[in-house]
PDB file of all heavy atoms in Angstrom:
ATOM      1  N   GLN A  39      14.190  -5.112  -5.353  1.00  0.00           N
ATOM      2  CA  GLN A  39      13.207  -4.684  -4.421  1.00  0.00           C
ATOM      3  C   GLN A  39      13.956  -4.492  -3.056  1.00  0.00           C
ATOM      4  O   GLN A  39      14.475  -5.372  -2.443  1.00  0.00           O
ATOM      5  CB  GLN A  39      12.146  -5.790  -4.305  1.00  0.00           C
ATOM      6  CG  GLN A  39      10.999  -5.389  -3.377  1.00  0.00           C
ATOM      7  CD  GLN A  39       9.904  -6.453  -3.437  1.00  0.00           C
ATOM      8  OE1 GLN A  39      10.149  -7.595  -3.604  1.00  0.00           O
ATOM      9  NE2 GLN A  39       8.696  -5.918  -3.389  1.00  0.00           N
ATOM     10  N   TRP A  47      12.925  -1.769 -11.807  1.00  0.00           N
ATOM     11  CA  TRP A  47      13.706  -2.330 -12.941  1.00  0.00           C
ATOM     12  C   TRP A  47      15.064  -1.759 -12.853  1.00  0.00           C
ATOM     13  O   TRP A  47      15.294  -0.513 -12.648  1.00  0.00           O
ATOM     14  CB  TRP A  47      13.033  -1.958 -14.307  1.00  0.00           C
ATOM     15  CG  TRP A  47      13.786  -2.270 -15.434  1.00  0.00           C
ATOM     16  CD1 TRP A  47      14.030  -3.490 -16.025  1.00  0.00           C
ATOM     17  CD2 TRP A  47      14.605  -1.258 -16.241  1.00  0.00           C
ATOM     18  NE1 TRP A  47      14.893  -3.349 -17.086  1.00  0.00           N
ATOM     19  CE2 TRP A  47      15.230  -2.055 -17.200  1.00  0.00           C
ATOM     20  CE3 TRP A  47      14.819  -0.019 -16.169  1.00  0.00           C
ATOM     21  CZ2 TRP A  47      16.051  -1.416 -18.044  1.00  0.00           C
ATOM     22  CZ3 TRP A  47      15.623   0.641 -17.065  1.00  0.00           C
ATOM     23  CH2 TRP A  47      16.260  -0.139 -18.069  1.00  0.00           C
ATOM     24  N   TYR A  95      16.143  -9.806  -8.510  1.00  0.00           N
ATOM     25  CA  TYR A  95      15.460 -10.830  -9.188  1.00  0.00           C
ATOM     26  C   TYR A  95      15.916 -10.686 -10.732  1.00  0.00           C
ATOM     27  O   TYR A  95      15.995  -9.606 -11.328  1.00  0.00           O
ATOM     28  CB  TYR A  95      13.971 -10.605  -9.243  1.00  0.00           C
ATOM     29  CG  TYR A  95      13.243 -10.626  -7.894  1.00  0.00           C
ATOM     30  CD1 TYR A  95      12.959  -9.544  -7.202  1.00  0.00           C
ATOM     31  CD2 TYR A  95      12.952 -11.867  -7.281  1.00  0.00           C
ATOM     32  CE1 TYR A  95      12.291  -9.524  -5.984  1.00  0.00           C
ATOM     33  CE2 TYR A  95      12.262 -11.952  -6.133  1.00  0.00           C
ATOM     34  CZ  TYR A  95      11.963 -10.810  -5.377  1.00  0.00           C
ATOM     35  OH  TYR A  95      11.324 -10.845  -4.270  1.00  0.00           O
ATOM     36  N   ILE A 102       3.502 -11.363 -21.964  1.00  0.00           N
ATOM     37  CA  ILE A 102       2.791 -11.010 -20.808  1.00  0.00           C
ATOM     38  C   ILE A 102       3.528 -10.047 -19.812  1.00  0.00           C
ATOM     39  O   ILE A 102       3.121  -9.819 -18.755  1.00  0.00           O
ATOM     40  CB  ILE A 102       2.300 -12.226 -20.044  1.00  0.00           C
ATOM     41  CG1 ILE A 102       3.425 -12.990 -19.433  1.00  0.00           C
ATOM     42  CG2 ILE A 102       1.432 -13.055 -20.892  1.00  0.00           C
ATOM     43  CD1 ILE A 102       2.972 -14.168 -18.565  1.00  0.00           C
ATOM     44  N   PHE A 104       6.929  -9.241 -17.575  1.00  0.00           N
ATOM     45  CA  PHE A 104       7.944  -9.954 -16.841  1.00  0.00           C
ATOM     46  C   PHE A 104       7.387 -11.351 -16.516  1.00  0.00           C
ATOM     47  O   PHE A 104       6.637 -11.498 -15.527  1.00  0.00           O
ATOM     48  CB  PHE A 104       8.391  -9.295 -15.610  1.00  0.00           C
ATOM     49  CG  PHE A 104       9.090  -7.992 -15.785  1.00  0.00           C
ATOM     50  CD1 PHE A 104       8.544  -6.758 -15.348  1.00  0.00           C
ATOM     51  CD2 PHE A 104      10.371  -7.850 -16.465  1.00  0.00           C
ATOM     52  CE1 PHE A 104       9.103  -5.504 -15.693  1.00  0.00           C
ATOM     53  CE2 PHE A 104      10.908  -6.595 -16.699  1.00  0.00           C
ATOM     54  CZ  PHE A 104      10.344  -5.492 -16.370  1.00  0.00           C
ATOM     55  N   ALA A 105       7.640 -12.338 -17.279  1.00  0.00           N
ATOM     56  CA  ALA A 105       6.860 -13.575 -17.292  1.00  0.00           C
ATOM     57  C   ALA A 105       7.245 -14.520 -16.161  1.00  0.00           C
ATOM     58  O   ALA A 105       6.323 -15.117 -15.412  1.00  0.00           O
ATOM     59  CB  ALA A 105       6.922 -14.236 -18.539  1.00  0.00           C
ATOM     60  N   TRP A 107      10.051 -15.191 -12.829  1.00  0.00           N
ATOM     61  CA  TRP A 107      10.916 -14.573 -11.897  1.00  0.00           C
ATOM     62  C   TRP A 107      11.637 -15.702 -11.100  1.00  0.00           C
ATOM     63  O   TRP A 107      11.188 -16.735 -10.776  1.00  0.00           O
ATOM     64  CB  TRP A 107      10.261 -13.713 -10.944  1.00  0.00           C
ATOM     65  CG  TRP A 107       9.380 -12.560 -11.568  1.00  0.00           C
ATOM     66  CD1 TRP A 107       8.321 -12.584 -12.417  1.00  0.00           C
ATOM     67  CD2 TRP A 107       9.485 -11.183 -11.230  1.00  0.00           C
ATOM     68  NE1 TRP A 107       7.874 -11.474 -12.675  1.00  0.00           N
ATOM     69  CE2 TRP A 107       8.545 -10.544 -11.982  1.00  0.00           C
ATOM     70  CE3 TRP A 107      10.345 -10.477 -10.364  1.00  0.00           C
ATOM     71  CZ2 TRP A 107       8.407  -9.109 -11.921  1.00  0.00           C
ATOM     72  CZ3 TRP A 107      10.206  -9.119 -10.358  1.00  0.00           C
ATOM     73  CH2 TRP A 107       9.273  -8.396 -11.059  1.00  0.00           C
ATOM     74  N   GLY A 108      12.963 -15.364 -10.911  1.00  0.00           N
ATOM     75  CA  GLY A 108      13.710 -16.216  -9.973  1.00  0.00           C
ATOM     76  C   GLY A 108      13.268 -15.974  -8.569  1.00  0.00           C
ATOM     77  O   GLY A 108      12.361 -15.133  -8.198  1.00  0.00           O
ATOM     78  N   GLN A 109      13.808 -16.617  -7.523  1.00  0.00           N
ATOM     79  CA  GLN A 109      13.567 -16.442  -6.193  1.00  0.00           C
ATOM     80  C   GLN A 109      14.201 -15.132  -5.499  1.00  0.00           C
ATOM     81  O   GLN A 109      13.817 -14.829  -4.453  1.00  0.00           O
ATOM     82  CB  GLN A 109      13.846 -17.623  -5.380  1.00  0.00           C
ATOM     83  CG  GLN A 109      15.308 -17.756  -4.855  1.00  0.00           C
ATOM     84  CD  GLN A 109      16.279 -18.025  -5.898  1.00  0.00           C
ATOM     85  OE1 GLN A 109      16.004 -18.286  -7.062  1.00  0.00           O
ATOM     86  NE2 GLN A 109      17.552 -17.917  -5.552  1.00  0.00           N
TER      87      GLN A 109
ATOM     88  N   TYR B  35       1.016  -7.251 -11.447  1.00  0.00           N
ATOM     89  CA  TYR B  35       1.754  -8.422 -10.944  1.00  0.00           C
ATOM     90  C   TYR B  35       1.184  -8.578  -9.438  1.00  0.00           C
ATOM     91  O   TYR B  35       0.858  -7.555  -8.771  1.00  0.00           O
ATOM     92  CB  TYR B  35       3.229  -8.136 -10.855  1.00  0.00           C
ATOM     93  CG  TYR B  35       3.885  -7.879 -12.187  1.00  0.00           C
ATOM     94  CD1 TYR B  35       3.806  -6.692 -12.809  1.00  0.00           C
ATOM     95  CD2 TYR B  35       4.341  -8.978 -12.887  1.00  0.00           C
ATOM     96  CE1 TYR B  35       4.284  -6.447 -14.075  1.00  0.00           C
ATOM     97  CE2 TYR B  35       4.871  -8.790 -14.188  1.00  0.00           C
ATOM     98  CZ  TYR B  35       4.765  -7.575 -14.726  1.00  0.00           C
ATOM     99  OH  TYR B  35       5.355  -7.380 -16.035  1.00  0.00           O
ATOM    100  N   GLN B  37       2.199 -10.094  -5.716  1.00  0.00           N
ATOM    101  CA  GLN B  37       3.307 -10.635  -4.852  1.00  0.00           C
ATOM    102  C   GLN B  37       2.757 -10.897  -3.469  1.00  0.00           C
ATOM    103  O   GLN B  37       2.219 -10.024  -2.746  1.00  0.00           O
ATOM    104  CB  GLN B  37       4.434  -9.606  -4.763  1.00  0.00           C
ATOM    105  CG  GLN B  37       5.587 -10.167  -4.078  1.00  0.00           C
ATOM    106  CD  GLN B  37       6.801  -9.204  -3.908  1.00  0.00           C
ATOM    107  OE1 GLN B  37       6.626  -7.947  -3.957  1.00  0.00           O
ATOM    108  NE2 GLN B  37       8.078  -9.679  -4.013  1.00  0.00           N
ATOM    109  N   SER B  42       8.342 -14.332  -4.938  1.00  0.00           N
ATOM    110  CA  SER B  42       8.484 -13.532  -6.067  1.00  0.00           C
ATOM    111  C   SER B  42       7.243 -13.007  -6.735  1.00  0.00           C
ATOM    112  O   SER B  42       6.221 -13.628  -6.586  1.00  0.00           O
ATOM    113  CB  SER B  42       9.350 -14.266  -7.081  1.00  0.00           C
ATOM    114  OG  SER B  42      10.523 -14.793  -6.602  1.00  0.00           O
ATOM    115  N   PRO B  43       7.182 -11.807  -7.375  1.00  0.00           N
ATOM    116  CA  PRO B  43       5.987 -11.423  -8.046  1.00  0.00           C
ATOM    117  C   PRO B  43       5.649 -12.344  -9.141  1.00  0.00           C
ATOM    118  O   PRO B  43       6.532 -13.131  -9.715  1.00  0.00           O
ATOM    119  CB  PRO B  43       6.496 -10.020  -8.704  1.00  0.00           C
ATOM    120  CG  PRO B  43       7.604  -9.672  -7.846  1.00  0.00           C
ATOM    121  CD  PRO B  43       8.272 -10.885  -7.477  1.00  0.00           C
ATOM    122  N   PRO B  45       3.221 -12.533 -12.786  1.00  0.00           N
ATOM    123  CA  PRO B  45       2.423 -11.775 -13.765  1.00  0.00           C
ATOM    124  C   PRO B  45       0.911 -12.167 -13.491  1.00  0.00           C
ATOM    125  O   PRO B  45       0.608 -13.356 -13.307  1.00  0.00           O
ATOM    126  CB  PRO B  45       2.779 -12.331 -15.179  1.00  0.00           C
ATOM    127  CG  PRO B  45       3.482 -13.682 -14.966  1.00  0.00           C
ATOM    128  CD  PRO B  45       4.063 -13.578 -13.485  1.00  0.00           C
ATOM    129  N   TYR B  86       1.061  -4.784  -8.024  1.00  0.00           N
ATOM    130  CA  TYR B  86       1.842  -3.698  -8.678  1.00  0.00           C
ATOM    131  C   TYR B  86       1.456  -3.503 -10.123  1.00  0.00           C
ATOM    132  O   TYR B  86       1.270  -4.458 -10.805  1.00  0.00           O
ATOM    133  CB  TYR B  86       3.376  -3.966  -8.732  1.00  0.00           C
ATOM    134  CG  TYR B  86       4.112  -4.089  -7.267  1.00  0.00           C
ATOM    135  CD1 TYR B  86       4.134  -5.377  -6.569  1.00  0.00           C
ATOM    136  CD2 TYR B  86       4.515  -2.939  -6.663  1.00  0.00           C
ATOM    137  CE1 TYR B  86       4.716  -5.419  -5.432  1.00  0.00           C
ATOM    138  CE2 TYR B  86       5.067  -3.003  -5.431  1.00  0.00           C
ATOM    139  CZ  TYR B  86       5.253  -4.247  -4.757  1.00  0.00           C
ATOM    140  OH  TYR B  86       5.889  -4.394  -3.510  1.00  0.00           O
ATOM    141  N   TRP B  90       5.385  -0.571 -20.024  1.00  0.00           N
ATOM    142  CA  TRP B  90       6.387  -0.919 -20.997  1.00  0.00           C
ATOM    143  C   TRP B  90       6.512   0.173 -22.082  1.00  0.00           C
ATOM    144  O   TRP B  90       7.235   0.076 -23.060  1.00  0.00           O
ATOM    145  CB  TRP B  90       6.213  -2.244 -21.728  1.00  0.00           C
ATOM    146  CG  TRP B  90       6.390  -3.477 -20.918  1.00  0.00           C
ATOM    147  CD1 TRP B  90       5.459  -4.252 -20.412  1.00  0.00           C
ATOM    148  CD2 TRP B  90       7.674  -4.012 -20.634  1.00  0.00           C
ATOM    149  NE1 TRP B  90       5.949  -5.309 -19.703  1.00  0.00           N
ATOM    150  CE2 TRP B  90       7.306  -5.219 -19.832  1.00  0.00           C
ATOM    151  CE3 TRP B  90       8.926  -3.724 -20.824  1.00  0.00           C
ATOM    152  CZ2 TRP B  90       8.365  -6.048 -19.392  1.00  0.00           C
ATOM    153  CZ3 TRP B  90       9.915  -4.514 -20.324  1.00  0.00           C
ATOM    154  CH2 TRP B  90       9.672  -5.670 -19.548  1.00  0.00           C
ATOM    155  N   TRP B  95      11.530   1.207 -17.658  1.00  0.00           N
ATOM    156  CA  TRP B  95      10.233   0.534 -17.350  1.00  0.00           C
ATOM    157  C   TRP B  95      10.030   0.750 -15.832  1.00  0.00           C
ATOM    158  O   TRP B  95      10.842   0.470 -14.974  1.00  0.00           O
ATOM    159  CB  TRP B  95      10.345  -0.957 -17.708  1.00  0.00           C
ATOM    160  CG  TRP B  95      11.120  -1.296 -18.861  1.00  0.00           C
ATOM    161  CD1 TRP B  95      12.170  -2.085 -18.950  1.00  0.00           C
ATOM    162  CD2 TRP B  95      10.974  -0.791 -20.213  1.00  0.00           C
ATOM    163  NE1 TRP B  95      12.716  -2.185 -20.236  1.00  0.00           N
ATOM    164  CE2 TRP B  95      12.038  -1.323 -21.075  1.00  0.00           C
ATOM    165  CE3 TRP B  95      10.044   0.111 -20.784  1.00  0.00           C
ATOM    166  CZ2 TRP B  95      12.114  -0.962 -22.385  1.00  0.00           C
ATOM    167  CZ3 TRP B  95      10.115   0.422 -22.155  1.00  0.00           C
ATOM    168  CH2 TRP B  95      11.178  -0.066 -22.902  1.00  0.00           C
TER     169      TRP B  95
END
Side-chain angles (χ1 to χ4, degrees):
Chain A
Q39 186 170 34
W47 168 78
Y95 298 99
I102 67 170
F104 297 115
W107 299 60
Q109 85 290 348
Chain B
Y35 300 84
Q37 186 177 32
S42 306
Y86 294 94
W90 287 104
W95 323 126

